[in-house]
Amino acid sequence: MAAFNRWRKHPRVTRLTEQPFRPVYLGSGWDGTTWNSSTGPFVWMWADGERREALLVATGKGGYAATVVADLRWLDSAKSYSVADISLDDNGSHSYAYRGTFTGDELMEFPIDLRTNTSRGKAFWIREADGKNLQVLYADENLSAYQQNGSAQRIDLRLTGDPGAEAVVVVVDPRANRGLAKPIELSATGKATATIRASELLPPAPVSKVFAEPIYHEAEFLPRTTVATVTEISEPNASNGVWILANLAAVGQAIEYAVDVPADGLYQIDVRYKENESRGRSQLSVDGSPLGPETDHFQPRGMYKGIEFRERRQGNLQLTKGEHTFRFTSTGRTGANYAVGVDYIKLTPTATPERLVFEAETSYSATNATVVTTSDPAASKNQWHGLKATAVGDWVEYAVTAPAGRYRVTSVVKAHAERGQAQLLVNGKQLSPVVDEYLAPADGSYQYREVVHGELDLNGDAVLRYVVTGRNAASASYGLATDQILLTPVPRLALAGKGTLPVGEQAAYTVGYLQFEPYYAQNRYLLWTVEQESTPGVLTIDQNGVAHAVARGTAVVRVTSQIDATATATVAVAVR
């Protein structure tokens, strides 16, 4: 906090913060009639009267969202601006970086990712680009004054500041779009001189312009239409503390929510429902087309110890920017009435194809013990499959089939006070740590849980064997209960290109897409970077995948999906 206060009280900062506060983005719908104040992030700026210099601040505290493409409309669209990242992190250090030189029009789409700082906060210094010479974009709080004499080849600096401090200046060449955050030691009298040459400056590091962060649409904020009685219910366990109960009274009655989709995309759609013994069944449709299976919202009392919220995956769907109608239609009831409770609708841009779903009771193939199929309206297809194990070493097998590829293996298990512990083997290969299906009675009578076992390559038929390894000390049983087996394709990238380049040569690298949704298997959703350079400036790469060999040394070219950051690939490059 001391470092922050020292920075914010510096005259160069206060000169701007004394100007009018200008909101940039304050959460979903902030500039309309359906503002969801729980989302964030919150972005604002101050600018001088001539719009030559500005300070942009963003924070994710108080909201769950951590990314935004912000419209810096308070700047002059006819000017060009250089931008420096001057963010202060939790440890009191600044993450100085040159972000680039942009036109005012380009800054109407300025990406901000708060996940890159532990503080979930960002600050950017913005200054009008002044001519063609090297120039100071930003000087930190350790400097009280500076003089600069810049040319196209170099800049000479005379600095005055805190005696003995390490000051930082961000120098840029706006014509070449290159910059450098340069630390400079001040003398015991607070003086220093420095010369920085154009050859020392580096291009800005590429940043993602597409964010695949989940978008939560809280039901209480959404416009809705229904003939049924609707109640807004406050509850601490609900997202944002409120959920919506639609008291549907008969099959065919429905409630519709108008959902504003911020951008064209392919989305994984999940809905968090409030489920208990007085709920019905429903079918979700989007713009008139069914999405996902019928959902039974019945849950016997005691599940989740009164919380009774459950997020359910509905499926993947391509949506255009703008308003879409999400309709929940009653299809019957298992509980006391036809009611449907919705907490939120979640849209997540996804490159992952639909997962393969196998019901345990129909996939069962073998055991060395006794198995049983049990009816339960809370289970998928109203049934789950159990192993009535009596000792360590008992096992049950399930047979599945999957096209060739890499998969994330998940089991949906029914946890209970009388359950054992198990190890999963796939085609004889141990996949995961031991899974404990025990549930303490204080946490509820039972819970359905998704247990992620790990990833592996499959090609055709596979046998999943669950082997009992023990039981919780508080459990009286070794039994296991499995509802579903889920195989989720893992999107991957393959990168091909030259591993050796002569100085001055350029080369294009090509990307292959493995198990990608076609919508996002496009180069415009990739981010190209250079890392692990033996010395700075060995290699550059543009966002078309074209590398330019600049100086002798070694580096690594990396390509990453902006939709799924786990999909990444590299090529080591030597520049001779």
Side-chain angles (χ1 to χ4, degrees):
M1 184 58 73
F4 171 74
N5 285 333
R6 185 166 175 270
W7 170 80
R8 72 179 179 87
K9 292 178 181 179
H10 193 280
R12 277 191 293 275
V13 175
T14 58
R15 186 179 72 249
L16 287 178
T17 56
E18 289 172 352
Q19 301 297 317
F21 168 93
R22 301 176 187 272
V24 173
Y25 184 84
L26 301 177
S28 175
W30 75 279
D31 52 355
T33 59
T34 58
W35 180 28
N36 181 355
S37 59
S38 69
T39 63
F42 308 97
V43 187
W44 62 95
M45 68 186 302
W46 297 270
D48 62 16
E50 294 76 32
R51 293 188 287 181
R52 293 195 68 249
E53 202 163 37
L55 171 63
L56 179 71
V57 175
T59 180
K61 291 187 176 179
Y64 57 74
T67 60
V68 66
V69 178
D71 180 357
L72 310 189
R73 59 191 176 281
W74 300 110
L75 300 175
D76 189 333
S77 61
K79 294 181 177 180
S80 291
Y81 295 91
S82 296
V83 181
D85 185 337
I86 60 169
S87 300
L88 182 68
D89 228 325
D90 285 342
N91 61 5
S93 65
H94 287 275
S95 54
Y96 292 115
Y98 173 57
R99 273 290 297 265
T101 296
F102 311 90
T103 65
D105 276 340
E106 290 174 327
L107 288 174
M108 291 181 180
E109 294 184 345
F110 184 71
I112 301 173
D113 188 349
L114 302 178
R115 297 169 298 185
T116 60
N117 290 76
T118 58
S119 63
R120 293 191 78 219
K122 279 287 190 185
F124 300 93
W125 197 266
I126 304 170
R127 187 180 181 88
E128 181 183 356
D130 186 11
K132 300 180 179 180
N133 294 331
L134 272 66
Q135 56 204 255
V136 173
L137 165 58
Y138 177 76
D140 78 356
E141 63 272 19
N142 290 317
L143 290 173
S144 56
Y146 62 87
Q147 294 177 332
Q148 59 179 320
N149 182 19
S151 69
Q153 289 75 41
R154 57 186 274 176
I155 186 171
D156 298 316
L157 301 173
R158 298 177 65 88
L159 309 175
T160 302
D162 297 337
E166 181 182 79
V168 174
V169 292
V170 180
V171 172
V172 300
D173 179 352
R175 179 184 55 180
N177 192 22
R178 300 171 78 89
L180 181 69
K182 180 74 171 180
I184 301 171
E185 295 287 341
L186 300 180
S187 70
T189 61
K191 305 290 185 181
T193 60
T195 296
I196 301 172
R197 300 186 181 281
S199 58
E200 298 178 58
L201 307 188
L202 299 171
V207 296
S208 292
K209 296 182 179 179
V210 179
F211 299 120
E213 197 175 15
I215 305 161
Y216 291 84
H217 294 274
E218 299 289 343
E220 64 271 21
F221 293 117
L222 296 175
R224 54 185 180 263
T225 304
T226 182
V227 298
T229 303
V230 172
T231 308
E232 291 192 12
I233 299 177
S234 297
E235 184 172 342
N237 295 308
S239 173
N240 201 44
V242 180
W243 60 279
I244 298 297
L245 176 65
N247 291 289
L248 306 181
V251 172
Q253 282 196 2
I255 182 169
E256 293 183 348
Y257 294 94
V259 175
D260 186 45
V261 177
D264 293 354
L266 180 76
Y267 294 90
Q268 175 184 305
I269 297 176
D270 303 275
V271 179
R272 190 178 194 231
Y273 297 98
K274 170 74 171 184
E275 304 184 336
N276 61 30
E277 70 282 355
S278 62
R279 297 288 181 266
R281 301 190 301 274
S282 72
Q283 174 66 56
L284 171 63
S285 61
V286 180
D287 298 331
S289 297
L291 181 66
E294 177 194 54
T295 301
D296 192 334
H297 307 292
F298 174 82
Q299 300 291 356
R301 186 178 297 276
M303 183 184 182
Y304 302 125
K305 206 62 178 178
I307 297 174
E308 299 161 340
F309 287 98
R310 189 172 182 183
E311 184 178 287
R312 294 181 180 268
R313 182 172 301 184
Q314 304 292 155
N316 292 354
L317 186 64
Q318 185 174 329
L319 296 171
T320 56
K321 180 180 179 179
E323 187 175 289
H324 294 266
T325 300
F326 282 63
R327 180 183 177 93
F328 299 86
T329 302
S330 172
T331 56
R333 64 182 183 183
T334 302
N337 59 42
Y338 299 91
V340 175
V342 176
D343 189 12
Y344 60 66
I345 298 169
K346 183 173 74 172
L347 278 59
T348 308
T350 183
T352 305
E354 293 277 15
R355 60 191 183 183
L356 307 180
V357 179
F358 301 89
E359 298 295 329
E361 63 272 13
T362 57
S363 301
Y364 163 70
S365 59
T367 186
N368 69 340
T370 302
V371 295
V372 60
T373 297
T374 302
S375 297
D376 182 356
S380 173
K381 306 295 185 183
N382 299 318
Q383 291 182 321
W384 56 270
H385 193 258
L387 173 67
K388 300 181 73 172
T390 59
V392 170
D394 284 354
W395 53 266
V396 60
E397 289 183 345
Y398 302 94
V400 301
T401 302
R406 175 162 285 268
Y407 294 88
R408 184 175 302 109
V409 182
T410 304
S411 299
V412 179
V413 303
K414 184 178 182 179
H416 186 269
E418 295 188 1
R419 291 284 187 270
Q421 300 163 335
Q423 171 73 64
L424 175 63
L425 291 85
V426 181
N427 292 338
K429 178 181 178 181
Q430 181 176 313
L431 183 60
S432 68
V434 170
V435 173
D436 193 344
E437 295 187 12
Y438 172 77
L439 177 70
D443 293 330
S445 58
Y446 67 89
Q447 290 180 8
Y448 282 94
R449 298 174 178 168
E450 286 195 14
V451 178
V452 179
H453 299 285
E455 297 180 3
L456 83 167
D457 294 319
L458 295 176
N459 186 6
D461 295 338
V463 174
L464 283 71
R465 173 179 284 198
Y466 297 78
V467 181
V468 175
T469 59
R471 65 185 180 190
N472 188 288
S475 175
S477 170
Y478 292 101
L480 305 178
T482 306
D483 186 15
Q484 291 178 314
I485 296 165
L486 311 174
L487 300 181
T488 304
V490 178
R492 289 167 293 153
L493 299 177
L495 183 59
K498 292 183 177 180
T500 303
L501 293 174
V503 172
E505 186 173 313
Q506 67 179 38
Y509 290 80
T510 57
V511 176
Y513 296 87
L514 306 174
Q515 293 178 285
F516 253 76
E517 281 281 11
Y519 187 95
Y520 288 119
Q522 302 181 54
N523 290 358
R524 65 192 180 104
Y525 296 111
L526 299 175
L527 183 69
W528 295 87
T529 56
V530 176
E531 57 188 46
Q532 301 179 38
E533 291 180 287
S534 54
T535 56
V538 170
L539 191 72
T540 65
I541 194 161
D542 63 25
Q543 293 309 300
N544 295 311
V546 178
H548 302 261
V550 179
R552 294 179 182 274
T554 58
V556 171
V557 169
R558 179 179 294 277
V559 63
T560 304
S561 167
Q562 296 186 66
I563 303 301
D564 186 342
T566 65
T568 186
T570 61
V571 168
V573 180
V575 179
R576 308 299 187 193

